[in-house]
């Protein structure tokens, strides 16, 4: 079962948590507790898929998530599985008109943030009574973000709900009654050794006034490995960004004060390798699909151990290894950091890492213009004279697309395709800023 989907995902076999979750969710309401990065998305998508029926009209499964980025991540995983069932994604910042048009022929699976899904129900853009399966992903985070009222409104209108899956990376003392989850099967892998990440933690000592210089020295030592730098406040993110820009280091920033398009673009460039460094608040500590992160840096100490664990959960994912660096002053001694944690020694006048070998091309057309990955690959390889290894990750969105291209070849490629068309349409193509 699920052989085709797992093959499309590039997964040889499910882990123990995923097998337990699928077994539990086959006939019961389920609470799935497992660390960030352990594969919860696949653990709930597969049982959802097994309960879809080709002959039923309307939305059959609803997946509620606390953030737009998580909604897009789940949609991408679902599409990669290669099922025959339609999926759509609804979230704030996405054009309402596009979503309404998508809902005219309702998808079997609908993914969205509570506020936007509640909007569509209130405006009768789809019928919630056809939904038989509900997933509340990162439920504790959704409550923290203040979505309780919207989720209660939505769930009360799911008149024919048969099964619920609630996921969280933390154990909750009480599950709100509005969820309808009263006698669930709990699948708890929060302390399971088989999925405990292979994570090293290192102290980095610094004078308070020298933390920016310490961070830069650490980045120089880390070199060309993918790194997330966590701060407590967006002002610190912007301050670090200014220093790295002055040093000529390409990087992304990600925090709640940014426009949604800019946030999504920063994540996209981090995913495709155009950025090696992403500076962020705790907004990026959970729910984002950012693969192969080798290092996490705590520029500012998290407020508690739970936040510390969630930040660290962005690395050492799914059997990989990772390192978390904690920048501390002599006075700081957090209780969640073992006194036996080794200290990382930094070098003076370290070598500034080179920028990555990839840059991102912006293409001003997407799925709604009938453009797909094959069209973009054809243009860049045939007309742009790129070799396969000089073309990286391609992401096609509704009205735009992005492609990672060899930094050494991008200028020549742009010249070669400057007068070319895609699907007989002239499209703006430029280096994404």
């Amino acid at each position: 079962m699920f052989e085709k989907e797992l093959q499309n995902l590039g997964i040889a076999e499910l882990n123990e948590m995923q097998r337990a979750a699928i077994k539990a969710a086959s006939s019961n309401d389920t609470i799935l507790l497992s660390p960030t990065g352990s594969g919860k998305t696949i653990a709930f998508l597969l049982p959802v898929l097994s309960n879809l029926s080709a002959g039923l009209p309307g939305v059959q499964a609803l997946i509620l998530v606390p953030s737009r980025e998580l909604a897009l991540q789940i949609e991408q995983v679902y599409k990669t599985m290669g099922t025959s069932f339609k999926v759509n994604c609804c979230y704030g910042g996405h054009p309402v008109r596009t979503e309404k048009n998508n809902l005219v022929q309702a998808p079997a699976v609908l993914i969205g943030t509570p506020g936007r899904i509640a909007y569509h129900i209130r405006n009768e853009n789809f019928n919630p009574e056809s939904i038989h399966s509900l997933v509340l992903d990162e439920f504790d985070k959704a409550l923290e973000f203040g979505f309780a009222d919207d989720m209660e409104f939505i769930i009360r209108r799911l008149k024919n709900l048969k099964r619920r899956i609630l996921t969280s990376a933390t154990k909750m003392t009480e599950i709100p009654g509005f969820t309808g989850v009263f006698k669930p099967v709990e699948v708890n892998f929060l302390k399971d050794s088989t999925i405990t990440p292979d994570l090293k933690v290192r102290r980095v000592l610094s004078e308070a006034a020298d933390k920016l210089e310490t961070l830069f020295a650490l980045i120089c030592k880390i070199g060309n490995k993918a790194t997330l730098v966590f701060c407590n406040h967006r002002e610190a993110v912007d301050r670090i960004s200014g220093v790295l820009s002055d040093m000529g280091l390409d990087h992304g920033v990600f925090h709640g004060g940014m426009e949604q398009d800019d946030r999504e673009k920063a994540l996209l460039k981090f995913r495709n390798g155009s950025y090696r460094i992403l500076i962020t608040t705790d907004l990026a500590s959970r729910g984002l699909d950012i693969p192969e992160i080798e290092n996490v840096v705590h520029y500012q100490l998290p407020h508690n151990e739970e936040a510390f664990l969630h930040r660290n959960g962005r690395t050492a994912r799914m059997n990989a290894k990772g390192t978390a660096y904690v920048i501390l002053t002599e006075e700081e001694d957090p209780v969640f950091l073992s006194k036996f944690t080794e200290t990382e020694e930094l070098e003076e006048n370290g070598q500034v890492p080179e920028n990555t070998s990839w840059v991102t091309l912006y293409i001003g057309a997407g799925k709604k213009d009938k453009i797909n990955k094959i069209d973009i690959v054809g243009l860049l390889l045939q007309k742009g004279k790129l070799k396969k290894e000089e073309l990286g990750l391609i992401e096609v969105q509704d009205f735009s697309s992005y492609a990672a291209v060899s930094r050494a070849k991008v200028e020549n490629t742009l010249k070669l395709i400057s007068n070319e068309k895609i699907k007989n349409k002239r499209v703006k193509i430029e280096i994404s800023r």
Side-chain angles (χ1 to χ4, degrees):
M1 193 176 183
F2 306 127
E3 288 88 353
K4 179 176 74 74
E5 290 80 12
L6 293 178
Q7 184 177 359
N8 290 339
L9 289 166
I11 296 174
E13 61 178 349
L14 297 169
N15 63 34
E16 185 182 352
M17 177 274 292
Q18 292 165 334
R19 292 194 297 271
I22 290 168
K23 181 180 179 180
S26 62
S27 57
N28 304 281
D29 285 352
T30 309
I31 294 179
L32 173 57
L33 304 173
S34 193
T36 298
S38 57
K40 289 195 295 295
T41 299
I42 294 168
F44 68 71
L45 279 181
L46 291 178
V48 163
L49 177 61
S50 68
N51 286 300
L52 299 179
S53 299
L56 289 181
V59 179
Q60 298 181 51
L62 175 63
I63 302 172
L64 290 178
V65 298
S67 71
R68 303 147 176 168
E69 291 82 10
L70 182 53
L72 291 167
Q73 173 213 319
I74 296 170
E75 181 188 38
Q76 185 59 49
V77 173
Y78 181 88
K79 287 181 174 179
T80 303
M81 288 164 58
T83 82
S84 59
F85 294 98
K86 180 183 176 185
V87 64
N88 281 131
C89 207
C90 299
Y91 52 89
H94 194 227
V96 170
R97 181 181 300 177
T98 299
E99 294 179 355
K100 288 176 67 175
N101 290 339
N102 289 338
L103 292 169
V104 170
Q105 293 184 322
V109 178
L110 182 60
I111 307 165
T113 51
R116 183 54 65 91
I117 296 297
Y119 167 87
H120 286 301
I121 291 176
R122 289 190 178 97
N123 287 275
E124 300 182 351
N125 294 329
F126 73 96
N127 182 4
E129 295 188 9
S130 60
I131 295 171
H132 55 66
S133 299
L134 172 68
V135 177
L136 301 172
D137 192 24
E138 298 281 12
F139 181 68
D140 56 332
K141 200 70 176 177
L143 291 178
E144 182 183 323
F145 285 179
F147 288 131
D149 290 346
D150 283 330
M151 288 190 290
E152 182 174 5
F153 168 80
I154 293 165
I155 293 170
R156 283 182 175 175
R157 279 149 182 81
L158 307 183
K159 305 295 185 182
N160 296 300
L161 206 54
K162 293 182 173 62
R163 59 189 59 83
R164 301 164 177 83
I165 302 174
L166 187 155
T167 87
S168 176
T170 59
K171 176 77 171 176
M172 299 180 63
T173 55
E174 184 180 359
I175 303 298
F178 70 76
T179 62
V181 178
F182 297 118
K183 294 182 179 179
V185 173
E186 183 176 281
V187 179
N188 189 342
F189 277 73
L190 288 177
K191 294 184 179 179
D192 185 79
S193 60
T194 62
I195 56 175
T196 299
D198 186 357
L199 178 71
K200 295 178 182 178
V201 180
R202 296 283 187 268
R203 294 174 182 259
V204 180
L205 298 179
S206 173
E207 296 291 334
D210 299 333
K211 288 187 75 172
L212 276 171
E213 289 79 2
T214 301
L215 173 63
F216 187 74
L218 177 59
I219 288 173
C220 290
K221 184 168 185 177
I222 288 172
N224 60 359
K225 297 175 182 176
T227 301
L228 272 172
V229 179
F230 279 104
C231 305
N232 293 340
H233 310 290
R234 62 185 65 165
E235 293 80 10
V237 172
D238 294 335
R239 190 163 60 248
I240 294 168
S241 176
V243 170
L244 297 191
S245 295
D246 290 344
M247 297 296 183
L249 267 179
D250 285 352
H251 62 278
V253 296
F254 185 88
H255 59 65
M258 300 168 60
E259 293 292 333
Q260 180 62 24
D261 284 349
D262 292 333
R263 279 162 49 184
E264 290 179 11
K265 198 182 299 181
L267 290 180
L268 183 151
K269 291 182 180 181
F270 196 54
R271 279 195 300 270
N272 72 21
S274 295
Y275 290 153
R276 190 179 290 122
I277 303 165
L278 185 68
I279 313 157
T280 180
T281 59
D282 283 335
L283 186 64
S285 65
R286 294 172 63 181
L288 300 184
D289 183 22
I290 312 174
E292 298 178 10
I293 302 303
E294 296 167 88
N295 302 286
V296 163
V297 177
H298 302 268
Y299 177 75
Q300 294 171 317
L301 274 178
H303 298 298
N304 52 47
E305 184 173 11
E306 182 180 320
F308 181 68
L309 294 174
H310 285 312
R311 288 179 177 185
N312 291 344
R314 304 317 308 172
T315 187
R317 297 163 66 84
M318 297 294 285
N319 304 319
K321 297 181 179 181
T323 304
Y325 298 94
V326 187
I327 300 180
L328 298 167
T329 64
E330 292 284 359
E331 295 76 26
E332 291 176 313
D333 188 22
V335 294
F336 50 80
L337 199 62
S338 168
K339 63 181 179 180
F340 301 111
T341 302
E342 293 184 21
T343 298
E344 186 79 13
E345 300 296 335
L346 300 182
E347 303 169 4
E348 292 187 17
N349 303 317
Q351 184 174 355
V352 179
E354 293 184 359
N355 288 321
T356 78
S357 58
W358 298 102
V359 293
T360 300
L361 281 186
Y362 163 82
I363 300 162
K367 289 180 286 190
K368 299 301 181 182
D369 305 295
K370 310 300 183 185
I371 300 297
N372 57 39
K373 287 185 181 180
I374 296 173
D375 299 320
I376 295 169
V377 169
L379 175 71
L380 295 175
L381 296 190
Q382 295 169 22
K383 303 294 185 180
K385 303 300 181 185
L386 289 174
K387 299 176 182 177
K388 286 184 179 180
E389 62 269 21
E390 294 168 342
L391 178 59
L393 184 68
I394 297 172
E395 296 193 30
V396 182
Q397 301 178 354
D398 283 344
F399 298 103
S400 60
S401 304
Y402 297 87
V405 172
S406 165
R407 186 181 297 269
K409 296 296 182 70
V410 66
E411 295 294 346
N412 184 58
T413 296
L414 282 173
K415 289 178 183 177
L416 291 172
I417 63 175
S418 61
N419 295 315
E420 298 293 338
K421 298 179 180 179
I422 304 180
K423 292 278 180 71
N424 295 316
K425 179 182 178 182
R426 195 171 297 283
V427 172
K428 183 177 183 179
I429 304 176
E430 63 184 10
I431 295 175
S432 177
R433 304 300 178 189

